[in-house]
Amino acid sequence: MPISVDIGDGYINIVEGEHQGNKIKIKKAFTKEIDISYISNGYVHNKIDLTLSLTDIVNEYTLKNKECFISFNSTDTVTKEITLPKTKYSHLEKLIRNAIQDLLGDAINLVIDYQIYEEIKKDGKDFYKIFIYGVPLKIVEDYKSILSNCGLIPKSLDIKRNSISKLTEFQINGSNIKDGITLFIDITGNNMILNLMSGKTALYKRDVDISEDIKREKLFLNKDSFEEVKDEPNSDFLQEAAISTIKSDDDITFLDDQDYFQEEASFISPILLRVYEEVNKIVQFSMSLNSGNIKKVYLYGDRENLDEISEYISNSINLPSEKVKEISNVKSNEEVDMSKFFIAIGNILRK
């Protein structure tokens, strides 16, 4: 049974499973933290330690000699869409190679792949819509080397967006998503990735670094202050003092309705504010398309408050929003957090 590896800054998500007919069968799913310095923006910065960490995982979970599909994200990945007339496969390949040359020039440092994702009619003639992908050669070579040295069999390296497009054929939380426009938001670690999809067609992608927002959130919640004093002598007294510096009884004032609103607004998490800002940008972009408005928003990732963020989007932007909790036709021997392993599960699908 092959494994799917979703790898990013500070984590490795692994699903052991397989695609059988229209079903995905999962044997096991687990997450391992890795040092944040090992990987950044898809690039491996510490091959030796990452190889050792992954080797430990392979040995611990008896994964040696497993076929491995790996998914990653990098802003240096090039994605282009082209439309070409439907023709014989051998001739189509020549047309694609010519298009790649025109679009990317001498792509010596890129590994090029393509995917025919839609067949359309235009003026009575048949055409293919094709995605062309260019992945930095260094990323491909590093991951292939690491997987091989860990005793795994590298079979596929894919960008995370493709995992989403594969899962659009399935129901998510009981709803069909292959028709209409859907926004998928991945909030994992210090990153937020927004993918706007029309069925399985990618319309727009945005990568956002939220590390500064997370820092402000921690300060806002005074987590750092409490962590610094909790183990100190007289910590109970110090914590009470810390609380009193936030707001004491002497600070009570009479507020009118507007003041109450402003006070409440000041306590909104910086993460929620950033989500609001980024989603609104994509809403405006979606409204400019002929395809229509966003039908639903799905959130996934490793943040514990995805339900809260979903509710905030529904209430503040008036967009139906849900955390990914269920994927149709996915069977598992154990309970699996679908939001955390969403990408890894999608990457199991082979088409």
Side-chain angles (χ1 to χ4, degrees):
M1 189 174 282
I3 66 169
S4 170
V5 178
D6 167 20
I7 193 163
D9 303 359
Y11 72 91
I12 300 177
N13 292 332
I14 296 180
V15 169
E16 183 178 3
E18 59 186 341
H19 181 203
Q20 299 176 333
N22 65 342
K23 292 183 172 63
I24 299 175
K25 184 179 180 181
I26 296 175
K27 182 179 180 181
K28 65 181 72 165
F30 55 92
T31 298
K32 291 291 183 178
E33 292 186 3
I34 56 174
D35 193 288
I36 195 72
S37 66
Y38 291 178
I39 298 171
S40 178
N41 193 30
Y43 291 92
V44 178
H45 295 293
N46 191 329
K47 285 181 67 175
I48 294 176
D49 286 340
L50 180 58
T51 301
L52 291 174
S53 296
L54 193 53
T55 299
D56 289 341
I57 295 171
V58 168
N59 293 333
E60 179 182 354
Y61 291 91
T62 61
L63 302 174
K64 195 170 183 180
N65 296 323
K66 295 280 187 180
E67 292 186 347
C68 180
F69 313 129
I70 188 167
S71 57
F72 75 102
N73 185 70
S74 175
T75 56
D76 288 344
T77 299
V78 179
T79 306
K80 301 289 186 181
E81 179 186 318
I82 61 173
T83 302
L84 293 174
K86 185 177 179 180
T87 183
K88 291 181 180 180
Y89 187 75
S90 58
H91 184 53
L92 181 64
E93 278 203 321
K94 293 178 183 178
L95 293 176
I96 292 173
R97 283 198 296 269
N98 291 336
I100 290 172
Q101 181 67 33
D102 292 339
L103 288 170
L104 304 178
D106 185 9
I108 190 171
N109 292 319
L110 295 175
V111 176
I112 307 296
D113 198 4
Y114 67 89
Q115 176 189 13
I116 301 172
Y117 69 89
E118 189 178 6
E119 186 175 331
I120 61 172
K121 277 191 176 292
K122 187 176 180 181
D123 298 329
K125 296 180 180 179
D126 295 323
F127 290 85
Y128 287 130
K129 281 192 173 183
I130 302 168
F131 269 136
I132 293 173
Y133 303 100
V135 179
L137 180 61
K138 185 181 187 309
I139 291 179
V140 176
E141 290 181 339
D142 282 350
Y143 284 131
K144 185 177 180 180
S145 171
I146 289 168
L147 294 175
S148 298
N149 290 334
C150 292
L152 297 171
I153 304 171
K155 297 294 290 185
S156 172
L157 177 67
D158 210 348
I159 61 175
K160 296 188 180 187
R161 188 195 304 181
N162 285 346
S163 296
I164 302 173
S165 66
K166 295 171 188 174
L167 285 171
T168 57
E169 297 294 325
F170 292 71
Q171 288 187 346
I172 297 180
N173 295 354
S175 299
N176 289 315
I177 58 172
K178 58 184 177 180
D179 298 320
I181 296 181
T182 309
L183 176 60
F184 292 90
I185 304 177
D186 179 355
I187 308 180
T188 301
N190 291 328
N191 300 296
M192 177 166 61
I193 305 172
L194 302 97
N195 282 286
L196 188 65
M197 310 288 294
S198 177
K200 63 181 181 179
T201 303
L203 300 176
Y204 183 80
K205 175 179 175 288
R206 181 168 171 79
D207 293 83
V208 181
D209 183 343
I210 58 171
S211 57
E212 291 301 318
D213 302 285
I214 291 173
K215 289 178 184 177
R216 285 195 294 271
E217 180 184 55
K218 288 181 179 179
L219 289 172
F220 171 81
L221 296 173
N222 292 286
K223 288 183 179 178
D224 293 342
S225 298
F226 290 117
E227 286 175 359
E228 290 172 2
V229 300
K230 66 181 179 182
D231 295 324
E232 296 293 326
N234 302 317
S235 62
D236 290 342
F237 168 79
L238 292 173
Q239 289 189 35
E240 289 175 6
I243 293 172
S244 68
T245 61
I246 298 170
K247 184 165 185 173
S248 67
D249 291 339
D250 294 336
D251 293 329
I252 294 175
T253 56
F254 292 100
L255 306 175
D256 59 25
D257 290 343
Q258 181 64 24
D259 289 328
Y260 277 119
F261 174 78
Q262 290 174 349
E263 184 176 78
E264 181 181 357
S266 68
F267 285 90
I268 296 176
S269 162
I271 298 298
L272 294 180
L273 294 175
R274 190 61 182 272
V275 169
Y276 179 87
E277 176 187 349
E278 296 300 333
V279 172
N280 266 312
K281 289 177 183 177
I282 293 187
V283 167
Q284 296 301 316
F285 172 79
S286 178
M287 290 173 63
S288 69
L289 302 175
N290 295 327
S291 306
N293 296 329
I294 297 171
K295 188 176 180 180
K296 186 167 282 190
V297 179
Y298 289 103
L299 285 99
Y300 60 95
D302 66 0
R303 278 190 68 90
E304 295 180 356
N305 65 336
L306 290 178
D307 282 318
E308 177 189 347
I309 296 173
S310 297
E311 184 178 357
Y312 181 76
I313 293 172
S314 297
N315 293 335
S316 63
I317 309 179
N318 198 28
L319 275 177
S321 178
E322 299 174 0
K323 171 186 172 182
V324 172
K325 297 179 179 178
E326 180 184 345
I327 305 171
S328 66
N329 294 348
V330 173
K331 307 298 179 184
S332 175
N333 297 337
E334 58 186 41
E335 186 175 347
V336 176
D337 184 342
M338 296 297 173
S339 65
K340 181 179 289 186
F341 295 99
F342 188 66
I343 294 296
I345 291 170
N347 200 38
I348 289 175
L349 292 166
R350 299 289 103 195
K351 292 186 178 181

